[in-house]
Amino acid sequence: MSEETLSNLSREERRFAPPEALAAEANVTADWYDKAAEDRVAFWAEQAGRLHWDQPWDRVLDWDDPPFAKWFVGGKLNASVNCVDRHVDAGRGDKVAFHWVGEPEDDARSITYAELKDEVCKAANALTELGVRTGDRVAIYMPMIPETVVTMLACARLGAPHTVVFGGFSADALASRIVDCEAHVVVTADGGYRRGAPSALKPAVDEAVAKSGDVVRKVLVVRRTGQDLGDAGWDDTRDVWWHDAVDSASAEHTPESFDSEHPLYVMYTSGTTGKPKGILHTTGGYLVGSAYTHWGIFDLKPETDVYWCTADIGWVTGHSYMVYGPLANGTTSVMYEGTPDSPHKGRWWEIIEKYGVTLFYTAPTAIRTFMKWGSDIPAKFDLSSLRLLGSVGEPINPEAYIWYRETIGAGQTPVVDTWWQTETGAIMISPLPGVTHGKPGSAMKAIPGVAADVVDDEGKPVPNGSGGFLVLTEPWPSMLRTLWGDDERFKDTYWSRFRSQGYYFAGDGAKKDDDGDIWLLGRVDDVMNVSGHRLSTTEIESALVSHPKVAEAAVVGAADEMTGQAVCAFVILRDEVVGDGGDNADIVAELRTHVAKEIGAIAKPRQIMIVPELPKTRSGKIMRRLLKDVAEDRQVGDVTTLADSTVMDLISSNLQGGK
Ligand code: WTA
């Protein structure tokens, strides 16, 4: 977002007060800010009381060796017991945990907490049978089906950290994650339903396993689509059907208590280098953070609310706000397998009407897509059950916020724009639905218990009305503990920029408006945000240069009305290719397919421009800022620091010639 758009935005005058009825019954009230700030550690200890601890902690926070935090030190608990058993033990076994909706119509089932507990226990026994032991990593590459949640909880029950890899990632991406965290067991499905058709997953697992040396010993496979796996698609010594291994397993499983700091999961996310970072979350603090925020920011009333988060489980939002937060709170949730336009563009609204969804959490990119499809589509459905709407993943532009509030929320519901990251584990900055007078486009301020600021290059807080870098100034329970196997990179990436202040550097730019409320401005590093998905420019550049026809590549995220940012690549071809008179259109198509194969379809560049040169500084650094100007069709900015200032003219004339 440019400075100009931003100052226009901050002049946005509309304010939305919380609905009176909601405010009167709100879970979190205005006094919580002061209460939490007075004694942050005591505040978090109180929040930890939401969970069942087998052994209480001796110390709330150990910050003796920053940035390595320990929360609820000495405490013991089991995450899966907190998410299922204790609700059953408290007599709520008949309550629905998930209304699961498959993409094919009429393919739905509701699963109670008691049923979920049985499934988790069976899966835990089956995984044990397959050799999984406490501390072992399990990779999960699954569609949006109940077995995915069951597998995560079964892993948590065994103290075996899971690493869920988004089903849209390629076999190569899956393999690199399997190898990085040495997962001996992979859980997958034959496929899932997407856009009205079965979409295979198992072949990618086979390819990934083959690329992972001898790391993978067992692959557990759910039969979802019944797709033909072909003769080569099954390895009798390695592959096991879920219905053989899990269905016959015992539903009795005695859980063990784990240390509060026992690893719960690793989630890979894009960083500024080509290699994805394995974000490590541990048990106690993460569960406290996700449960508290889910309850407080969505104003959850577990007895009456029906909650739906549309994220994929392969992303952190799916972990914290489809699985751990909601289940720890005993929520009834909706889970939907497919795409929003299958079989018709009103599918989401139909689901909200059918299940009486009250709390709804989605991403700006989806909202903008629905805006484009037209308000008449949601108007055909009864959405009056909704009482709160949430947004996550990227800045929500005021038009989208207003449309969301008006068209989906009948002009009544609060919209909570929640800022957080894979690294933070839980929401950090957000309005409070019963307290905040929301401003369209602003995530407002840090929630009670969290301390955030916007600082300048030196780490000094900027005055109201100015912009800078977003930082978190105090440790919080659901913070990442390290990067899997790479403490140094953990320190460098997040804690070196403002080392003397001890601040966590989020990598986002932000501005404080005249009231001191925070407006997020997007990444300040080489990470792009495409439809709320984090992608690394360097990772896509590496994928491009791994193609034999490419000599050099530079990738930028260009503003895009629908997806927030879009991937734009500038590519220099090898001399022998340039000379062979081939058609650039063919090469562009070939390169797009190549990126999809290397990383996944989500990383496919929207645009690939074949250029003769790239703009570089005298020290050889590519000036992405100038390429961004080209990609966004703007006048090219200051070129004086280029080693060869004519390069941009060359690029521009070459592109015009090519049009
Ligand atoms: C961006 C997703 C503006 C931000 C939970 C952050 C946002 C990155 C918002 C993390 C928001 C997330 N407003 N920007 N409400 N929420 N972001 O790790 O750039 O996939 O650093 O976590 O998304 O993406 P991640």
Side-chain angles (χ1 to χ4, degrees):
M1 219 182 290
S2 71
E3 273 295 310
E4 190 189 322
T5 344
L6 181 74
S7 63
N8 287 340
L9 280 183
S10 331
R11 268 184 248 123
E12 164 72 60
E13 292 291 339
R14 286 169 288 196
R15 298 284 180 276
F16 298 107
E20 269 171 37
L22 193 153
E25 301 287 325
N27 287 351
V28 180
T29 46
D31 54 314
W32 281 51
Y33 286 112
D34 287 341
K35 178 172 92 168
E38 262 161 40
D39 190 343
R40 206 173 298 284
V41 167
F43 173 82
W44 283 116
E46 200 181 313
Q47 299 316 315
R50 299 178 183 286
L51 303 183
H52 170 79
W53 296 82
D54 298 318
Q55 185 177 303
W57 57 88
D58 318 310
R59 196 175 168 194
V60 181
L61 168 65
D62 173 350
W63 192 232
D64 299 345
D65 179 26
F68 299 97
K70 292 192 183 120
W71 282 88
F72 311 110
V73 185
K76 282 181 181 276
L77 76 170
N78 184 298
S80 115
V81 167
N82 271 280
C83 289
V84 282
D85 305 41
R86 72 176 167 135
H87 306 307
V88 178
D89 294 346
R92 297 189 295 270
D94 291 340
K95 188 175 174 188
V96 171
F98 284 106
H99 292 295
W100 176 76
V101 184
E103 192 182 86
E105 282 182 297
D106 302 324
D107 185 4
R109 64 187 156 115
S110 295
I111 300 149
T112 64
Y113 273 91
E115 288 164 346
L116 185 61
K117 176 174 176 253
D118 286 352
E119 287 303 306
V120 170
C121 289
K122 286 180 178 183
N125 285 323
L127 287 173
T128 306
E129 195 64 25
L130 293 177
V132 176
R133 297 289 173 269
T134 301
D136 290 353
R137 278 78 58 201
V138 175
I140 301 179
Y141 187 69
M142 302 269 270
M144 292 282 286
I145 53 177
E147 288 83 352
T148 311
V149 179
V150 168
T151 305
M152 289 165 75
L153 294 172
C155 288
R157 195 172 189 90
L158 298 172
H162 52 72
T163 187
V164 183
V165 179
F166 174 57
F169 276 124
S170 66
D172 285 8
L174 174 61
S176 71
R177 287 153 173 80
I178 288 174
V179 170
D180 191 71
C181 72
E182 259 188 288
H184 297 314
V185 172
V186 181
V187 185
T188 189
D190 48 0
Y193 287 93
R194 308 275 315 154
R195 299 201 167 77
S199 162
L201 286 169
K202 176 72 166 51
V205 173
D206 292 342
E207 207 184 317
V209 170
K211 287 188 167 139
S212 307
D214 52 7
V215 174
V216 178
R217 295 172 196 153
K218 290 287 174 194
V219 179
L220 182 59
V221 191
V222 176
R223 184 180 280 155
R224 164 69 187 130
T225 56
Q227 280 163 286
D228 181 9
L229 299 174
D231 290 342
W234 196 262
D235 176 337
D236 274 331
T237 55
R238 184 196 70 198
D239 298 342
V240 181
W241 282 114
W242 177 281
H243 51 259
D244 289 336
V246 179
D247 290 358
S248 56
S250 159
E252 296 298 322
H253 182 272
T254 309
E256 211 181 303
S257 279
F258 297 108
D259 191 273
S260 176
E261 285 299 333
H262 189 82
L264 182 62
Y265 70 82
V266 179
M267 166 109 260
Y268 285 88
T269 187
S270 296
T272 51
T273 70
K275 190 172 178 278
K277 304 178 288 196
I279 309 289
L280 175 69
H281 283 294
T282 58
T283 310
Y286 173 79
L287 214 53
V288 170
S290 51
Y292 155 61
T293 50
H294 178 254
W295 173 87
I297 290 158
F298 298 104
D299 190 45
L300 177 79
K301 308 287 193 250
E303 298 75 33
T304 46
D305 276 320
V306 178
Y307 164 85
W308 183 17
C309 166
T310 66
D312 192 283
I313 289 190
W315 306 110
V316 75
T317 307
H319 281 48
S320 300
Y321 297 108
M322 281 188 65
V323 180
Y324 289 108
L327 292 176
N329 290 328
T331 313
T332 294
S333 300
V334 166
M335 173 177 181
Y336 172 55
E337 176 186 34
T339 52
D341 52 356
S342 230
H344 58 81
K345 292 187 168 116
R347 186 74 194 272
W348 279 15
W349 319 122
E350 186 179 74
I351 292 171
I352 291 181
E353 176 180 287
K354 173 155 186 211
Y355 293 97
V357 172
T358 57
L359 313 172
F360 183 64
Y361 195 28
T362 194
T365 186
I367 299 167
R368 290 192 295 265
T369 305
F370 294 124
M371 280 173 80
K372 190 179 73 180
W373 288 349
S375 304
D376 52 320
I377 298 175
K380 291 192 201 110
F381 299 91
D382 178 3
L383 306 179
S384 61
S385 55
L386 289 168
R387 66 181 196 92
L388 187 146
L389 302 172
S391 170
V392 62
E394 52 177 317
I396 180 164
N397 47 311
E399 302 74 50
Y401 179 113
I402 298 288
W403 186 89
Y404 195 25
R405 192 185 147 92
E406 292 295 324
T407 313
I408 306 304
Q412 308 280 321
T413 58
V415 172
V416 288
D417 173 12
T418 62
W419 178 90
W420 61 294
Q421 311 176 295
T422 307
E423 291 86 342
T424 69
I427 295 167
M428 300 278 109
I429 303 178
S430 168
L432 291 177
V435 177
T436 313
H437 289 235
K439 300 175 186 176
S442 170
M444 306 303 288
K445 58 181 176 176
I447 60 166
V450 172
D453 210 335
V454 181
V455 299
D456 63 17
D457 247 338
E458 260 102 65
K460 288 202 206 65
V462 301
N464 288 354
S466 303
F469 304 104
L470 182 72
V471 293
L472 299 171
T473 59
E474 299 285 344
W476 63 101
S478 62
M479 66 201 283
L480 78 165
R481 295 303 192 261
T482 189
L483 297 179
W484 186 257
D486 204 344
D487 287 348
E488 282 311 308
R489 191 176 176 196
F490 167 64
K491 289 195 269 187
D492 281 357
T493 312
Y494 307 105
W495 304 94
S496 64
R497 181 93 186 225
F498 299 110
R499 184 185 288 126
S500 53
Q501 294 84 354
Y503 292 166
Y504 168 87
F505 171 60
D508 277 15
K511 181 165 175 163
K512 289 185 210 164
D513 66 16
D514 293 339
D515 304 322
D517 291 322
I518 296 174
W519 297 70
L520 275 310
L521 306 179
R523 304 288 306 187
V524 293
D525 53 14
D526 294 333
V527 174
M528 295 170 288
N529 189 326
V530 179
S531 298
H533 300 155
R534 264 166 83 164
L535 295 171
S536 147
T537 52
T538 348
E539 202 180 344
I540 300 177
E541 284 165 4
S542 314
L544 285 165
V545 293
S546 74
H547 190 281
K549 290 183 180 162
V550 175
E552 253 192 285
V555 166
V556 296
D560 184 283
E561 230 175 76
M562 212 39 78
T563 58
Q565 283 189 309
V567 180
C568 288
F570 294 80
V571 168
I572 304 180
L573 297 176
R574 285 181 188 271
D575 285 348
E576 56 273 25
V577 186
V578 178
D580 77 0
D583 187 352
N584 275 358
D586 290 347
I587 296 184
V588 165
E590 195 177 323
L591 294 181
R592 292 183 79 234
T593 314
H594 179 69
V595 173
K597 188 185 158 296
E598 292 284 307
I599 305 174
I602 48 167
K604 256 191 201 177
R606 177 187 73 183
Q607 215 178 352
I608 296 182
M609 295 176 246
I610 307 291
V611 292
E613 290 287 349
L614 288 171
K616 290 187 188 150
T617 60
R618 279 173 203 98
S619 60
K621 200 169 179 291
I622 293 174
M623 291 191 68
R624 290 208 179 80
R625 172 173 64 78
L626 299 176
L627 293 174
K628 216 168 156 163
D629 289 340
V630 174
E632 293 178 350
D633 251 342
R634 254 195 320 271
Q635 182 73 31
V636 173
D638 185 8
V639 296
T640 48
T641 52
L642 283 181
D644 173 0
S645 60
T646 62
V647 165
M648 290 315 294
D649 295 337
L650 196 61
I651 291 178
S652 302
S653 63
N654 194 271
L655 291 176
Q656 269 152 20
K659 268 181 193 166

